Amino acid sequence: MRLSRYFLPILKETPKEAEIVSHRLMLRAGMIRQQSAGIYSWLPLGHRILRKIERIVEEEQARAGAIQLLMPTLQSADLWRESGRYDAYGKEMLRIQDRHERDMLYGPTNEEMITDIFRSYVRSYKDLPLNLYHIQWKFRDEVRPRFGVMRGREFLMKDAYSFDIDQEKAVESYNRMFVAYLRTYKRMGLTAIPMRAETGPIGGDLSHEFIVLAETGESAVFCHADYLTKDVPGEDLDFSGDLTPIVKDWTSHYAATEDVVDMAEFERSVPEDKRISARGIEVGQTFYFGTKYSEPMGAKVATSEGTEVPVHMGSYGVGVSRLLGAIIEANHDENGIIWPASIAPFHVGLINLKPGDDLSDAACEALYAKLEAAGIEVLYDDTDNRAGSKFATMDLIGLPYQVVAGPRGLKDGVLEVKDRRTGEKELLSPEATFDKLK
Ligand code: ATP
Ligand code: MG
Ligand code: MG
Ligand code: MG
């Protein structure tokens, strides 16, 4: 991508309304624009990163056996009357009427709708287990939308729903999602700790919130320090095997959010030097709630003995858009964002210090073409902005590598390659630069 033809509206001033660093940096880097309280447009740079996060979520959902579909944002109130949640959900639900005065709502979550899909097609234990998910915009009319995409009103969520014949099988499904979550966050460079949690309006009795520790987190959390260094299963993990040992390991130490914490138990079970009492960001939550929706909504399946039973369900949310904020909170310095390579919008920022200079243009064009041909995403700054502003922009948007090409270095046949995270700089030939970046 040539910067001269891209749309990257960088802000020079720090926006006053932004209270936390991730919000400030997302606005300054031209990633998002607020359209109404808690409602954002995703500008090209922000949109690229959102898509990268989605890709990782999709890959890990697939690995764990979940199947992607897409449900609408608008739902009929009647479906929610069946579960009893239409009245119970309260003011967070945005209620709308269509021209025929039918009650509709902008979905805050999709348990009812997926249960409706399930009951319309699935009749037998032979079709189980089944796990269906989508990545779709949700709306919750939060009392206090704030911190940018961290607490929006419209936000992107991945929500998966599992269906099983009984509780034992449902817990196996739960475990697959639990482990998929460990892998998902890890791949984005985050350490997310599964913590005991309140189930809230989703309901149920088995639940974990996946929490990333951060000073700006909205909840107080209490956990054992060993969670910060625990191994996450690798790519070779067999999801059809027994995942109980992994889930046991990842729940063996104390970890709870403020809603459910028992301080006496925390202090009893965690040695003092291992106690973490901190703040955290909820980046996902898993629930097993049995027949809470299938029973009132009549989602039944025949067992191998031929009797009909309500299906056992769980639901599993990931805050896709919130993750951008959480990742920036964990990866930045005073100059800007430092994207983990797995979700960086581009891998390399190529800076032409002197567009119009034959040597600089030739070196940049050649490297740009070669990197693109190799499938490496490059943002090529071919503009005639000042050098200082080019450096500042690259640091702000936080691509893993910067390559600087200018007449002085090129006289000696070298480019400057900077690692954004460490700040280390090397002078390399164009060939060696390509080899380092590929
Ligand atoms: P919170 O406690 O932050 O209000 P929640 O517990 O109400 O979140 P869930 O119903 O568990 O949210 O939804 C699944 C995930 O969706 C959450 O773990 C979170 O990452 C994300 N999420 C929820 N509300 C918002 C929001 N207002 N803005 C952005 N992401 C959100
Ligand atoms: Mg909430
Ligand atoms: Mg919560
Ligand atoms: Mg939650």
Side-chain angles (χ1 to χ4, degrees):
M1 180 65 65
R2 285 171 200 275
L3 186 58
S4 61
R5 295 188 204 152
Y6 199 44
F7 181 63
L8 185 67
I10 299 287
L11 300 184
K12 294 263 166 350
E13 305 293 313
T14 297
K16 283 188 291 294
E17 73 271 24
E19 297 165 68
I20 60 169
V21 67
S22 58
H23 188 195
R24 279 199 292 276
L25 290 172
M26 287 183 79
L27 292 170
R28 283 196 48 218
M31 292 169 59
I32 50 168
R33 171 164 179 80
Q34 181 171 299
Q35 304 293 166
S36 312
I39 301 179
Y40 291 87
S41 287
W42 291 80
L43 303 177
L45 192 75
H47 185 240
R48 271 181 96 94
I49 301 154
L50 193 65
R51 302 282 294 171
K52 296 232 161 151
I53 292 177
E54 281 186 70
R55 287 290 99 79
I56 292 178
V57 170
E58 285 168 1
E59 284 170 22
E60 294 304 325
Q61 289 294 289
R63 204 190 292 280
I67 305 163
Q68 192 169 21
L69 46 63
L70 185 59
M71 292 175 269
T73 52
L74 293 187
Q75 306 188 20
S76 144
D78 285 339
L79 210 46
W80 287 66
R81 291 194 175 103
E82 286 189 51
S83 69
R85 276 208 296 182
Y86 188 63
D87 293 324
Y89 211 93
K91 290 200 162 180
E92 261 187 31
M93 180 185 278
L94 181 66
R95 296 154 207 262
I96 308 162
Q97 272 197 346
D98 69 10
R99 66 198 293 163
H100 307 291
E101 291 176 16
R102 274 190 288 254
D103 293 329
M104 311 283 291
L105 56 101
Y106 192 137
T109 176
N110 284 57
E111 281 79 11
E112 284 78 0
M113 191 172 278
I114 201 78
T115 305
D116 175 62
I117 292 174
F118 181 90
R119 72 180 171 188
S120 306
Y121 302 105
V122 184
R123 298 273 174 272
S124 160
Y125 73 95
K126 289 182 193 152
D127 300 319
L128 304 180
L130 182 64
N131 185 323
L132 300 171
Y133 83 98
H134 72 163
I135 298 179
Q136 178 62 294
W137 296 94
K138 304 291 184 294
F139 196 95
R140 294 183 186 176
D141 205 351
E142 303 279 355
V143 200
R144 233 187 122 197
R146 58 177 186 160
F147 301 163
V149 299
M150 290 262 235
R151 182 164 300 283
R153 291 197 297 162
E154 189 183 49
F155 61 96
L156 192 59
M157 193 204 285
K158 182 285 301 186
D159 38 326
Y161 302 88
S162 65
F163 301 90
D164 285 279
I165 195 69
D166 56 28
Q167 174 160 357
E168 193 188 326
K169 288 286 176 196
V171 170
E172 289 175 14
S173 291
Y174 185 93
N175 289 349
R176 281 191 291 274
M177 284 292 110
F178 185 104
V179 175
Y181 278 30
L182 296 175
R183 284 193 42 80
T184 301
Y185 300 120
K186 182 77 190 176
R187 283 186 60 188
M188 298 172 191
L190 291 173
T191 305
I193 305 169
M195 301 200 182
R196 282 187 222 168
E198 200 88 81
T199 55
I202 310 277
D205 37 36
L206 171 63
S207 182
H208 291 92
E209 275 178 10
F210 286 73
I211 302 278
V212 173
L213 301 184
E215 278 165 30
T216 47
E218 288 188 290
S219 26
V221 299
F222 305 85
C223 69
H224 195 296
D226 285 2
Y227 279 119
L228 296 174
T229 49
K230 220 175 241 315
D231 282 339
V232 167
E235 261 184 25
D236 53 346
L237 178 72
D238 176 10
F239 272 87
S240 60
D242 180 13
L243 302 179
T244 322
I246 300 171
V247 175
K248 271 224 172 89
D249 182 37
W250 272 92
T251 50
S252 57
H253 297 307
Y254 196 84
T257 63
E258 59 190 330
D259 306 332
V260 296
V261 70
D262 174 342
M263 284 312 275
E265 192 189 341
F266 176 55
E267 280 161 19
R268 195 170 349 104
S269 61
V270 184
E272 200 169 349
D273 61 329
K274 291 279 189 183
R275 275 178 219 154
I276 295 184
S277 154
R279 302 200 67 81
I281 302 169
E282 181 191 331
V283 290
Q285 187 166 6
T286 49
F287 302 87
Y288 163 67
F289 43 72
T291 60
K292 176 175 173 187
Y293 300 91
S294 56
E295 191 117 37
M297 294 185 66
K300 292 186 197 142
V301 277
T303 65
S304 54
E305 282 91 50
T307 50
E308 278 204 325
V309 294
V311 72
H312 284 250
M313 293 174 58
S315 75
Y316 315 89
V318 169
V320 174
S321 50
R322 177 179 286 182
L323 273 166
L324 273 94
I327 292 167
I328 296 172
E329 289 295 323
N331 297 278
H332 67 269
D333 62 15
E334 64 283 2
N335 297 322
I337 304 165
I338 306 173
W339 291 114
S342 59
I343 57 157
F346 299 91
H347 189 57
V348 184
L350 172 59
I351 298 179
N352 186 341
L353 278 184
K354 204 166 182 200
D357 169 65
D358 289 345
L359 213 51
S360 305
D361 288 351
C364 286
E365 292 294 337
L367 182 62
Y368 179 54
K370 205 168 159 189
L371 288 168
E372 292 266 289
I376 296 160
E377 295 168 302
V378 187
L379 183 63
Y380 171 25
D381 187 344
D382 57 344
T383 66
D384 39 22
N385 296 338
R386 285 182 307 105
S389 129
K390 291 187 174 192
F391 295 138
T393 294
M394 282 302 176
D395 277 354
L396 174 62
I397 67 173
L399 311 181
Y401 291 101
Q402 297 170 14
V403 177
V404 184
R408 208 177 311 157
L410 286 167
K411 261 202 329 238
D412 303 329
V414 292
L415 304 165
E416 186 185 87
V417 183
K418 176 171 138 183
D419 180 317
R420 173 69 179 89
R421 190 172 289 275
T422 61
E424 270 166 40
K425 293 176 180 172
E426 286 178 279
L427 295 174
L428 297 174
S429 70
E431 294 71 35
T433 301
F434 176 76
D435 289 340
K436 188 179 171 77
L437 300 176
K438 76 173 183 220

